[in-house]
Amino acid sequence: MFWRGVFGYLPVNVVQGLVGLLTIVLFTRVLTPGQFGDYALGLSVMTLAHTAIFTWNEAAVGRFWAGESHRNGGADHAATVHRAWLGLLAVIPLAVLAAALWPMSPSLKLAVIAGLLALIPRTFAKLGQERRRAAGEVGGSAKLELIQTLGGFGFGAALAYAGLGGAAPLIGFGLASLIAVAVCARHELAKAQGGRYEPARLREHVAYGLPLAASLLLTVVLSTTDRFLLAAFLDGEAVAVYHAGYSLSNRTLDVAFIWLGAAGAPAMVMALERGGREALANAAGEQFSVMLLLTLPAAVGLALVARPLAELMIGPAMAAGAAQVTPLIALGGLLAGLNTYYFSEAFVLGRRSGLALWAMLAPALANLGLNLLLIPRLGIEGALWSTVISYALGVVVAIAMARKVMPLPLPWRVIGEALAAAAVMALAVSAIPELGGFPELALKAAAGGATYGVIIFLLDTGQLRSRAQSFLRARSAA
């Protein structure tokens, strides 16, 4: 199931990666730094609201559908989930009213309200995606993601050129999600047909999902607090520079983690449900190996080419500052991704979602304290160090706590070989002179990728070469 998901979700994640980069290229040029800062803050509010209000219900779909789908087609499960979603929607008008009354600039207010309203269609589409992902319906889940990714970018770009400022990308998200809802609503609602809303089932979903959502909320707080504090201590342009560099680095890595997590999380659940802990250990070890082998060189590469990459991708007004943000955020993004999409999965698999909350509490509080301490003294650099230290603490805490719940394997040989290959790659890239712009970026990326790939291939790290050869032989025999 893992490899079917890896290949099935690959096209959509390639599109996500390209759109993510195009988003940075376009919006850092069409929007002023102040407008881009409004977009960054509006996006942060939207993400916080989504996680705080809706994520627990979505998490219940992802965890329980595999077991419930065999009981009357999952109709009772679906009916309960949909009723909960309708009830949660009542919070959105209150949040919009609070945003309208909150003292902030009109442009920022519009961006925040646009993001909140986009959650109405976006969260229903998310329920459809989670159900399809849990059921192994890779094509259906990928289709909904493609609609929202491409549609959000297209609508957002058009509205930005029309002069709607920082609210444009957020309005684009909402419009694209409406299309996704139009595509999936009939099928998803049919799943609940004949089903009963069950309060006992809802209580089970709440007991499981709320602690997990709270831990994810702390993760979002950890990744967004710096924007709000930069705005408070510095200004909107500092937020824009930080968000541009952060997005360039973190978004690149996040696409890879989301791709592998979308394939890996359901595969680990299925392995545990059908084969027990031994099957889980095999599936988890394979997933971690692939995840590390793909994301470690990406993080190191981003740090090594930060300056030419920023010059090429980010508007001139923000490029120099963003280049300073990228290297440390690449390290932070690597740690955050491994924590979210691997180490913290132990709490999901063990149905101990409450521990996920405690595992995230320490890094979230550390991040808040460090930002309050360092931003007034070091500015943007203070936010960077706060992020890296907090994410590193999160990994340590998650590993320690997961051992008591559902210990996931750490293939040390794979880790050692990947680190060694990345170190040699860094030496090779560092030997290339600074040519500037696209020539430097292309040369360093090619040299780094080739160096790392050859070493991993020769060592057969994580048995990637062996698996690829087996796959090719099977295809040839067919």
Side-chain angles (χ1 to χ4, degrees), residues 33-34 37 41 227-241 380:
L41 293 172
R227 274 84 159 175
F228 295 110
L229 292 178
L230 283 169
F233 287 118
L234 300 178
D235 53 36
E237 292 194 11
V239 176
V241 168
I380 290 178

Side-chain angles (χ1 to χ4, degrees), residues 50 54-62 78 81-86 121-133 144 184 188:
H50 187 167
F54 296 97
T55 294
W56 67 267
N57 197 35
E58 297 160 3
V61 176
V81 165
H82 292 165
R83 177 79 67 88
W85 174 77
L86 283 172
R122 195 171 180 83
T123 50
F124 185 85
K126 181 67 173 176
L127 289 177
Q129 282 182 262
E130 286 298 321
R131 187 204 61 76
R132 295 175 187 209
R133 187 165 71 94
L144 293 180
C184 75
E188 295 305 317

Side-chain angles (χ1 to χ4, degrees), residues 48-278:
L48 285 166
H50 187 167
T51 308
I53 301 168
F54 296 97
T55 294
W56 67 267
N57 197 35
E58 297 160 3
V61 176
R63 181 61 184 88
F64 294 113
W65 179 259
E68 295 293 338
S69 60
H70 300 297
R71 301 179 184 135
N72 72 332
D76 295 339
H77 171 85
T80 302
V81 165
H82 292 165
R83 177 79 67 88
W85 174 77
L86 283 172
L88 294 172
L89 285 183
V91 182
I92 296 298
L94 299 176
V96 170
L97 178 61
L101 297 176
W102 195 268
M104 52 184 161
S105 68
S107 59
L108 177 56
K109 187 171 295 189
L110 179 60
V112 170
I113 291 175
L116 291 171
L117 292 176
L119 288 177
I120 297 173
R122 195 171 180 83
T123 50
F124 185 85
K126 181 67 173 176
L127 289 177
Q129 282 182 262
E130 286 298 321
R131 187 204 61 76
R132 295 175 187 209
R133 187 165 71 94
E137 297 174 15
V138 174
S141 177
K143 178 181 179 180
L144 293 180
E145 188 61 43
L146 278 173
I147 290 170
Q148 294 180 87
T149 300
L150 293 172
F153 175 73
F155 286 127
L159 294 171
Y161 277 110
L164 289 186
L170 300 164
I171 297 172
F173 291 155
L175 294 174
S177 295
L178 281 173
I179 296 175
V181 169
V183 169
C184 75
R186 182 177 179 181
H187 185 73
E188 295 305 317
L189 293 174
K191 291 290 181 182
Q193 189 171 0
R196 296 178 303 161
Y197 164 70
E198 298 179 331
R201 187 187 298 273
L202 180 62
R203 287 193 293 272
E204 182 184 19
H205 290 181
V206 170
Y208 167 78
L210 272 186
L212 186 61
S215 70
L216 292 173
L217 181 62
L218 288 176
T219 303
V220 175
V221 168
L222 198 158
S223 65
T224 57
T225 299
D226 39 23
R227 274 84 159 175
F228 295 110
L229 292 178
L230 283 169
F233 287 118
L234 300 178
D235 53 36
E237 292 194 11
V239 176
V241 168
Y242 183 82
H243 185 72
Y246 194 108
S247 298
L248 184 62
S249 181
N250 193 64
R251 180 58 179 162
T252 303
L253 289 169
D254 209 29
V255 166
F257 279 117
I258 291 172
W259 165 42
L260 296 171
M268 287 197 291
V269 171
M270 286 290 187
L272 179 62
E273 293 286 346
R274 297 178 179 178
R277 293 202 174 197
E278 182 178 353

Side-chain angles (χ1 to χ4, degrees), residues 6-81:
V6 166
F7 290 113
Y9 287 117
L10 179 58
V12 70
N13 280 273
V14 169
V15 171
Q16 282 185 318
L18 292 173
V19 170
L21 293 176
L22 288 173
T23 297
I24 297 169
V25 172
L26 187 141
F27 291 127
T28 57
R29 287 169 169 81
V30 176
L31 303 179
T32 66
Q35 291 172 336
F36 194 77
D38 290 340
Y39 158 59
L41 293 172
L43 180 63
S44 297
V45 171
M46 184 182 80
T47 305
L48 285 166
H50 187 167
T51 308
I53 301 168
F54 296 97
T55 294
W56 67 267
N57 197 35
E58 297 160 3
V61 176
R63 181 61 184 88
F64 294 113
W65 179 259
E68 295 293 338
S69 60
H70 300 297
R71 301 179 184 135
N72 72 332
D76 295 339
H77 171 85
T80 302
V81 165

